[in-house]
Amino acid sequence: MAGFRIGRGRDNRTQQQQPQQAPPPPYAGGGGRAAPPYAQQHRPPQWPQAGGGGHQQHQGHQGPYGEPEYFGDPYQQPPGVDPYANNPGHTQAFSVNDDPYGNGSTYHAGATPAAPTGPRLHWKQLLSGIVLRPGSTFWQMRDYAVWGPALIVTFLYGLLALFGFDKAREETINATISTAIPYVLTTAVAFVIGGLILGAVTHTLARQLGGDGAWQPTVGLSMLIMSITDAPRLVFALFLGGENSLVQVLGWATWLGAAALFTSMVSKSHDLPWPKALGASAIQLIALLSIIKLGTI
């Protein structure tokens, strides 16, 4: 009996000396063992693993380098950031709204990278710029109305254009002053009205072809182009007559120059490629060629 009691006591002491192991907490979804923190799941293999039951109880309170974690997980991601992004088996989401090259839309008129720069040009700079630097002049004046220079220059051109036609010049010279002056003034007004109509036609065609320019700059600049480009032919026609071969050659040359200026002006004012700009100016060019330069009508 004594030995039995001693043996039983020895067993009790042996059981009392064994450390009490704390059961591991179960998974949130079941499974029997708690999942280690995210930082410990990605611990490199060269880091030593904590051994022993007593150390396993404090695993959740140590950082990835074995030091105590007093300020939370150093690998904790800020709110709104996927902690698994760019890891094997995971893909980071991205947005396509910040495309620096636009939203992929096709080119359309009016989508110019920058607005015209510079103030309104003085009438002297405007007239000289149409001849010497047409591209920059049309670009700078694409949003400005030029009614003053356009009406005055076209009216003065109309006063002299009558003498470029042989038959009309003879009738005007042989008529009395009281008859010639109203005739000349009526012709000048007709040229102004004709310039307005042809400019409006050019603007309408440009809009039909996809342009988005304003009608006032288009009409005013077209009147200036019509008057300025025909000035060399008109100077020689006043003395040599409209049927002279030199005048005819100058008429064709200045007509080609007018076509180039009309194309450049419509292209800058309406943001159109040059084929469409030339097509928008076709009716006005045909009218100028047949009525003024060649005098066939």
Side-chain angles (χ1 to χ4, degrees):
M1 293 299 291
F4 175 75
R5 287 193 300 269
I6 293 173
R8 185 175 60 181
R10 187 181 297 115
D11 293 339
N12 292 337
R13 286 193 303 270
T14 303
Q15 294 178 359
Q16 292 175 0
Q17 292 176 1
Q18 291 180 355
Q20 298 294 328
Q21 298 290 341
Y27 279 119
R33 192 173 61 179
Y38 169 74
Q40 296 180 6
Q41 292 179 5
H42 297 276
R43 175 179 298 174
Q46 64 270 18
W47 293 344
Q49 301 289 337
H55 294 285
Q56 292 178 359
Q57 295 178 4
H58 300 282
Q59 248 181 353
H61 300 282
Q62 292 183 357
Y65 296 96
E67 72 277 5
E69 242 179 43
Y70 298 103
F71 302 101
D73 188 3
Y75 290 88
Q76 184 177 2
Q77 299 292 334
V81 178
D82 186 8
Y84 298 98
N86 297 328
N87 288 326
H90 299 276
T91 304
Q92 183 178 5
F94 62 92
S95 174
V96 297
N97 295 328
D98 299 331
D99 186 7
Y101 297 99
N103 57 359
S105 59
T106 57
Y107 170 81
H108 58 88
T112 53
T117 58
R120 181 197 300 268
L121 295 176
H122 191 263
W123 68 269
K124 294 181 180 180
Q125 298 175 345
L126 175 61
L127 298 181
S128 62
I130 292 177
V131 179
L132 301 178
R133 47 188 183 279
S136 60
T137 300
F138 294 145
W139 175 253
Q140 186 170 349
M141 296 298 294
R142 60 172 292 177
D143 292 332
Y144 297 107
V146 291
W147 289 124
L151 295 176
I152 294 174
V153 172
T154 306
F155 183 80
L156 295 177
Y157 167 75
L159 292 176
L160 299 176
L162 179 64
F163 298 93
F165 303 100
D166 294 338
K167 185 177 180 180
R169 181 178 58 180
E170 294 177 359
E171 293 178 356
T172 304
I173 293 175
N174 296 329
T176 60
I177 297 179
S178 60
T179 305
I181 292 178
Y183 190 31
V184 173
L185 293 178
T186 303
T187 305
V189 174
F191 268 85
V192 172
I193 297 176
L196 290 171
I197 294 175
L198 293 177
V201 171
T202 300
H203 169 75
T204 303
L205 290 177
R207 294 299 294 265
Q208 292 295 326
L209 294 176
D212 60 351
W215 71 276
Q216 297 183 13
T218 304
V219 175
L221 291 174
S222 67
M223 295 173 65
L224 289 175
I225 294 172
M226 177 189 70
S227 304
I228 292 175
T229 55
D230 194 48
R233 184 204 66 86
L234 182 60
V235 171
F236 285 90
L238 292 175
F239 301 97
L240 301 178
E243 300 297 332
N244 186 273
S245 59
L246 177 61
V247 175
Q248 294 290 322
V249 172
L250 286 176
W252 281 101
T254 54
W255 181 79
L256 293 177
L261 292 179
F262 275 117
T263 302
S264 178
M265 184 270 294
V266 175
S267 177
K268 298 295 188 301
S269 299
H270 288 267
D271 190 24
L272 289 175
W274 73 266
K276 291 185 177 182
L278 180 59
S281 308
I283 294 180
Q284 187 167 7
L285 288 172
I286 294 174
L288 294 178
L289 178 64
S290 59
I291 298 175
I292 297 177
K293 299 183 183 298
L294 300 181
T296 57
I297 297 179

